[in-house]
């Protein structure tokens, strides 16, 4: 992908060139219109001045003298009599010094019938210039050139008067004015591009500084980015800091999880090896103890896999499910475990309870709650599961007659590998951690309460949709 600096420089350069082109076109069109207005005014004004100087009693000789004054070297004016040209010499008092542009400005006189009377030099190159047919401005093509002509009829002298300006003169003036306005811009363009490059480089310097700070960090440096940044980059810096904070929490959780898991796995493995060594030495009870150790190790591994999967899988979209058939099926699966220990397992409450949750996660949650209750309830004890509504909110309650928990541990027992002292060694300290994680994912509320005289009550209440 192209860099921001190159993109901005290229885009602004193109915009500058396009703006210059638009400005050039606009200047040309405006100048063309305004110059036409000015030149038309001059043609009209000078034609009226010439008309005011004509003598109604002027003779052919008077027009001959006028022709000698109008003629330019190599471009004499032509006097016409009865439609035929009459040679006229330039008088000594005629123009000796003249501007070349005068060749593009011509004056002509016609009789009322349209026959030429006196025409300036350039209006005779290809025969007499076309006679005017009406008063006003017009464009006329003559001898391969376009002429802007103003014509008027003087009633006093019974004469048509036309004054014309060659179109090339108009075009040249427009082009000169436009180019004179554009050339300074063309000379300034490299300077403007250099200035834009410097401004863009300085503008994106904070981005490069922010990138360098992130890129130059070691994998262990998870401190916040505190470089001062412009207001536009404050959101990016905050997002990076939030990501770093989440990454730091995740790595810390994984580090703690790995350390705790290694400790929890090392202990049953060491005990298992001792029991197997004792079994080889002939102790009969050691095989039973080894079996218990294998059972605990299997449970730890299974629950570690569940926790790892929960940490990796994103929160799922909840759907409306009925808790009753899910709970009933899972209780049927764990019934042999309760029957083996002569425990009483009962489902009470509503026979239909809908919640907004993920069915798989609800199954894992309840299985851990029920498994914990059965494991920590003594032989012959009772485990009761209740489905109910609490202030309109669906609620799942699991009650047992086990030893319960110390009051100081009720708020901490959901931490990973947190177990009450003196409890059975078959536990892993992960069951309620899994439950707590799933409750948070289900946007529900977990409550643990000790029962009288003994036992534990665990309730999961789903929040009502807002």
């Amino acid at each position: 992908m192209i860099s921001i600096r190159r993109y901005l420089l290229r885009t602004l350069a193109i915009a500058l060139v396009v703006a210059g082109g638009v400005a050039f076109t606009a200047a040309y069109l405006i100048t063309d219109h305004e110059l036409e207005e000015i030149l038309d005014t001059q043609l009209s004004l000078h034609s009226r001045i010439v008309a005011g100087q004509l003598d109604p009693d002027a003779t052919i000789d008077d027009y001959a003298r006028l022709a000698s004054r109008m003629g330019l070297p190599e471009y004499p004016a032509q006097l016409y009599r009865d439609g035929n040209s009459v040679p006229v010499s330039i008088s000594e008092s005629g123009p000796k010094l003249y501007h070349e542009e005068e060749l593009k400005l011509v004056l002509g006189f016609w009789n009322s019938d349209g026959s030429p009377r006196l025409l300036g030099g350039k209006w005779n190159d290809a025969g007499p210039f076309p006679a005017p047919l009406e008063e006003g401005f017009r464009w006329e093509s003559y001898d391969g050139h376009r002429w802007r002509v103003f014509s008027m009829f003087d009633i006093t002298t019974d004469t048509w008067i036309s004054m014309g300006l060659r179109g090339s003169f108009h075009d040249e003036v427009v082009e000169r004015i436009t180019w004179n306005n554009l050339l300074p811009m063309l000379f300034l363009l490299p300077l403007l591009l250099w200035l834009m490059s410097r401004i863009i480089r300085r503008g994106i310097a904070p981005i490069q500084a922010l990138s360098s700070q992130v890129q130059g960090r070691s994998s262990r440096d998870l401190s916040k980015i505190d470089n001062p940044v412009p207001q536009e980059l404050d959101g990016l810096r905050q997002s990076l800091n939030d990501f770093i904070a989440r990454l730091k929490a995740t790595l810390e959780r994984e580090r703690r999880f790995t350390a705790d898991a290694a400790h929890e796995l090392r202990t049953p493995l060491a005990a298992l090896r001792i029991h197997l060594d004792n079994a080889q030495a002939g102790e009969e009870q050691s095989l039973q103890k080894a079996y218990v150790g294998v059972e605990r190790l299997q449970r730890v591994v299974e629950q570690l896999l569940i926790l790892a999967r929960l940490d990796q899988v994103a929160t799922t979209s909840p759907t409306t499910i009925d808790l009753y058939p899910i709970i009933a099926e899972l209780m049927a699966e764990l019934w042999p475990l309760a029957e083996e220990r002569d425990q009483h397992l009962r489902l009470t409450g509503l026979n239909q309870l809908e919640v907004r949750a993920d069915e798989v996660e609800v199954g894992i949650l309840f299985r851990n709650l029920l498994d914990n209750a059965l494991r920590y309830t003594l032989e012959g004890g009772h485990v009761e599961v209740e489905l109910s509504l609490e202030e309109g909110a669906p609620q799942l309650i699991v009650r047992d007659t086990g030893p319960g928990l110390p009051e100081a541990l009720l708020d901490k027992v959901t931490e990973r590998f947190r177990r009450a002292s003196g409890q059975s060694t078959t536990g892993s300290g992960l069951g309620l951690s899994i439950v707590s994680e799933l409750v948070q994912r289900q946007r529900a509320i977990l409550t643990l309460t000790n029962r009288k005289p003994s036992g534990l009550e665990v309730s999961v209440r789903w929040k009502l949709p807002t």
Side-chain angles (χ1 to χ4, degrees):
M1 184 177 180
I2 191 171
S3 68
I4 297 177
R5 184 174 67 85
R6 290 182 181 178
Y7 169 76
L8 290 176
L9 183 60
R10 183 180 65 183
T11 303
L12 291 176
I14 293 174
L16 187 62
V17 171
V18 171
V22 172
F24 176 82
T25 303
Y28 181 88
L29 295 176
I30 294 173
T31 303
D32 179 74
H33 174 74
E34 295 298 328
L35 184 62
E36 183 176 312
E37 294 286 336
I38 294 173
L39 294 179
D40 283 352
T41 302
Q42 294 298 319
L43 290 176
S44 173
L45 177 62
H46 287 86
S47 296
R48 297 181 191 281
I49 292 175
V50 170
Q53 300 299 317
L54 291 180
D55 186 355
D57 300 325
T59 63
I60 190 67
D61 293 332
D62 294 328
Y63 280 100
R65 284 193 300 273
L66 181 58
S68 66
R69 298 294 183 115
M70 289 172 54
L72 298 175
E74 301 180 4
Y75 293 97
Q78 291 291 324
L79 182 65
Y80 289 84
R81 178 182 293 174
D82 299 329
N84 298 317
S85 62
V86 178
V88 178
S89 60
I90 300 175
S91 66
E92 294 181 359
S93 60
K96 296 181 177 61
L97 296 176
Y98 65 96
H99 198 282
E100 183 180 357
E101 302 295 349
E102 290 185 41
L103 298 175
K104 301 175 182 178
L105 182 64
V106 182
L107 178 64
F109 301 88
W110 286 263
N111 298 314
S112 59
D113 60 0
S115 60
R117 183 183 299 174
L118 173 62
L119 301 179
K122 279 292 183 178
W123 279 0
N124 297 283
D125 293 347
F129 191 82
L133 300 177
E134 58 183 358
E135 291 185 317
F137 294 96
R138 75 181 191 275
W139 282 101
E140 190 73 50
S141 296
Y142 173 78
D143 194 24
H145 298 283
R146 295 171 64 250
W147 291 83
R148 182 65 172 173
V149 181
F150 175 77
S151 301
M152 61 174 294
F153 184 74
D154 183 48
I155 300 176
T156 305
T157 60
D158 201 25
T159 304
W160 279 99
I161 302 172
S162 291
M163 182 171 286
L165 182 70
R166 202 160 77 180
S168 59
F169 173 79
H170 172 272
D171 296 339
E172 289 171 7
V173 174
V174 172
E175 291 175 3
R176 283 202 299 267
I177 294 174
T178 306
W179 278 107
N180 287 339
N181 290 329
L182 183 63
L183 285 176
M185 184 181 294
L186 293 178
F187 285 120
L188 287 174
L189 184 60
L191 177 61
L192 292 175
L193 292 175
W194 180 80
L195 285 175
M196 284 193 302
S197 177
R198 296 287 297 177
I199 293 172
I200 293 172
R201 185 185 298 273
R202 184 170 182 178
I204 65 175
I207 301 178
Q208 295 175 337
L210 185 62
S211 176
S212 299
Q213 186 181 18
V214 175
Q215 186 177 8
R217 289 187 169 206
S218 67
S219 59
R220 298 178 180 273
D221 186 3
L222 295 177
S223 60
K224 295 179 63 175
I225 300 173
D226 54 4
N227 272 20
V229 295
Q231 183 178 0
E232 291 77 7
L233 294 180
D234 190 60
L236 175 60
R237 183 183 63 177
Q238 185 62 40
S239 298
L240 287 174
N241 284 335
D242 292 343
F243 173 75
I244 290 174
R246 292 194 300 271
L247 179 62
K248 184 177 182 180
T250 300
L251 292 178
E252 178 63 23
R253 185 170 62 250
E254 293 300 326
R255 184 194 64 77
R256 186 172 62 251
F257 174 77
T258 302
D260 291 343
H263 176 269
E264 289 295 320
L265 290 175
R266 187 185 304 114
T267 300
L269 284 174
L272 180 62
R273 181 174 181 179
I274 293 173
H275 293 320
L276 290 175
D277 289 340
N278 292 337
Q280 286 182 340
E283 290 189 17
E284 295 182 358
Q285 296 181 351
S286 294
L287 283 177
Q288 180 63 28
K289 293 180 179 179
Y291 176 79
V292 173
V294 170
E295 184 183 28
R296 182 187 176 197
L297 183 61
Q298 179 182 3
R299 179 171 174 76
V300 169
V301 171
E302 289 176 352
Q303 294 192 322
L304 284 175
L305 291 176
I306 293 175
L307 283 173
R309 189 178 71 175
L310 291 178
D311 287 340
Q312 293 176 1
V313 177
T315 303
T316 57
S317 299
T319 57
T320 301
I321 59 174
D322 186 3
L323 285 182
Y324 185 85
I326 299 174
I327 301 302
E329 182 179 354
L330 289 173
M331 290 180 69
E333 290 181 6
L334 294 177
W335 182 268
L337 179 61
E339 189 176 21
E340 182 182 349
R341 303 186 63 189
D342 196 25
Q343 295 170 333
H344 301 279
L345 184 58
R346 185 174 63 163
L347 176 60
T348 63
L350 303 174
N351 58 8
Q352 182 178 1
L353 185 62
E354 292 185 346
V355 297
R356 293 281 298 174
D358 180 84
E359 183 175 350
V360 175
E361 292 183 355
V362 167
I364 298 175
L365 184 155
F366 176 70
R367 186 182 187 91
N368 277 273
L369 284 178
L370 188 57
D371 185 64
N372 266 10
L374 292 174
R375 285 181 180 275
Y376 290 105
T377 298
L378 299 177
E379 293 185 8
H382 296 266
V383 175
E384 179 183 343
V385 180
E386 179 184 346
L387 299 178
S388 61
L389 289 173
E390 177 67 24
E391 297 180 355
Q395 181 175 245
L396 166 66
I397 303 175
V398 178
R399 302 184 184 94
D400 64 55
T401 56
L405 292 169
E407 292 294 332
L409 198 62
L410 283 176
D411 295 334
K412 300 178 181 179
V413 74
T414 54
E415 297 176 3
R416 295 181 179 182
F417 304 109
R418 174 75 69 169
R419 300 175 64 226
S421 59
Q423 290 185 341
S424 170
T425 57
T426 59
S428 63
L430 292 173
L432 289 178
S433 297
I434 296 174
V435 170
S436 177
E437 177 75 19
L438 289 171
V439 165
Q440 292 179 14
R441 292 166 66 93
Q442 298 293 322
R443 297 179 178 86
I445 300 174
L446 176 67
T447 305
L448 282 76
T449 309
N450 281 320
R451 303 178 65 200
K452 298 294 184 179
S454 67
L456 184 68
E457 177 179 298
V458 182
S459 68
V460 179
R461 181 161 57 90
W462 282 265
K463 297 179 182 179
L464 291 173
T466 56

